[in-house]
Amino acid sequence: MSNKLVVSEYDFDAIKSNLKSFLQGQTSFQDYDFEGSSLNILLDVLSYNTHYLGFNANMLANEMFLDSADLRASVVSLAKQVGYTPT
């Protein structure tokens, strides 16, 4: 059980496991059953939200660079910055 929250994982199951370990290390939640309680649903929601936001941040970071951009609007915008206007 850890008293520090690990934030380097972006996989849903890893996020949920890290949140569960963090909460089990807190004195307020030591006696709770995280598998069969409504806290499990809250952990699912928090894990899904974290996974979703991590995915969106990754996609946003990809669109910021000409080498990794997929959307035409992003490529056109980045090409304009280097002096090239696509047709």
Side-chain angles (χ1 to χ4, degrees):
M1 295 188 198
S2 173
N3 60 356
K4 292 186 179 181
L5 186 58
V6 180
V7 294
S8 62
E9 300 288 336
Y10 292 113
D11 179 51
F12 176 83
D13 293 326
I15 294 168
K16 185 175 179 181
S17 175
N18 290 336
L19 284 171
K20 191 183 303 182
S21 296
F22 174 73
L23 289 175
Q24 286 173 341
Q26 304 297 312
T27 57
S28 303
F29 296 106
Q30 283 181 338
D31 296 332
Y32 282 80
D33 176 23
F34 288 91
E35 294 301 322
S37 67
S38 56
L39 281 177
N40 192 32
I41 295 170
L42 289 175
L43 286 175
D44 282 341
V45 170
L46 288 171
S47 301
Y48 173 76
N49 186 45
T50 304
H51 178 74
Y52 186 73
L53 290 175
F55 176 80
N56 282 341
N58 187 31
M59 291 295 111
L60 177 66
N62 284 341
E63 294 299 319
M64 292 174 57
F65 300 100
L66 193 56
D67 289 341
S68 60
D70 288 328
L71 301 175
R72 177 169 167 56
S74 299
V75 173
V76 169
S77 177
L78 292 167
K80 284 181 183 178
Q81 293 177 4
V82 294
Y84 178 75
T85 305
T87 57

